[in-house]
Amino acid sequence: QVQLVESGGGLVQAGGSLRLSCATSGRTFSSYAMGWFRQAPGQEREFVARTMSGITSYADSVKGRFTISRDNAKNTIYLQMNSLKPEDTAVYYCTADPSYNRIMTQPTYWGQGTQVTVSS
């Protein structure tokens, strides 16, 4: 079983930055794909970013502004969010899956989520 615990959310003004963290349990962390999804009010959850074995990819809406990274020694992944916009306001979820393909659409494991609010 993989457990994911997010932290780092909060309120920030447009143009500001936040860094989300996701601490994981389990010895399989380094072999898993890790990622982030988000869900805005009244909208479906959407893919944000993923990483595995040094490969990363991003949703078009965040490309160039967000950076996903991982520290295998700490079993933690991060999402550095810069140039934040009000439309980035959402609950952000950490995700994990053995498959780099599946984590983009139907991740197996989900965290509880952390709220990010960007004011205009």
Side-chain angles (χ1 to χ4, degrees):
Q1 189 72 6
V2 176
Q3 293 185 323
L4 309 172
V5 180
E6 303 97 334
S7 61
L11 174 64
V12 64
Q13 288 188 331
S17 299
L18 278 176
R19 188 177 80 157
L20 305 182
S21 300
C22 173
T24 74
S25 65
R27 292 174 290 179
T28 57
F29 172 77
S30 62
S31 66
Y32 270 47
M34 302 296 298
W36 294 91
F37 269 64
R38 67 185 181 185
Q39 185 170 24
Q43 299 186 22
E44 295 185 353
R45 289 183 182 181
E46 64 173 359
F47 166 78
V48 174
R50 60 177 173 167
T51 183
M52 186 176 190
S53 300
I55 301 171
T56 61
S57 71
Y58 300 88
D60 287 342
S61 58
V62 307
K63 201 172 294 183
R65 300 188 297 121
F66 291 11
T67 302
I68 187 171
S69 61
R70 65 194 296 165
D71 185 335
N72 287 337
K74 295 182 178 179
N75 285 1
T76 300
I77 68 164
Y78 305 96
L79 185 68
Q80 178 66 44
M81 304 184 295
N82 299 328
S83 302
L84 283 162
K85 305 175 182 179
E87 51 263 44
D88 293 317
T89 295
V91 177
Y92 284 70
Y93 297 91
C94 178
T95 61
D97 197 280
S99 166
Y100 187 65
N101 288 332
R102 188 166 59 225
I103 199 170
M104 193 172 177
T105 56
Q106 293 182 310
T108 300
Y109 301 102
W110 293 79
Q112 294 292 328
T114 185
Q115 177 70 47
V116 172
T117 303
V118 184
S119 63
S120 57

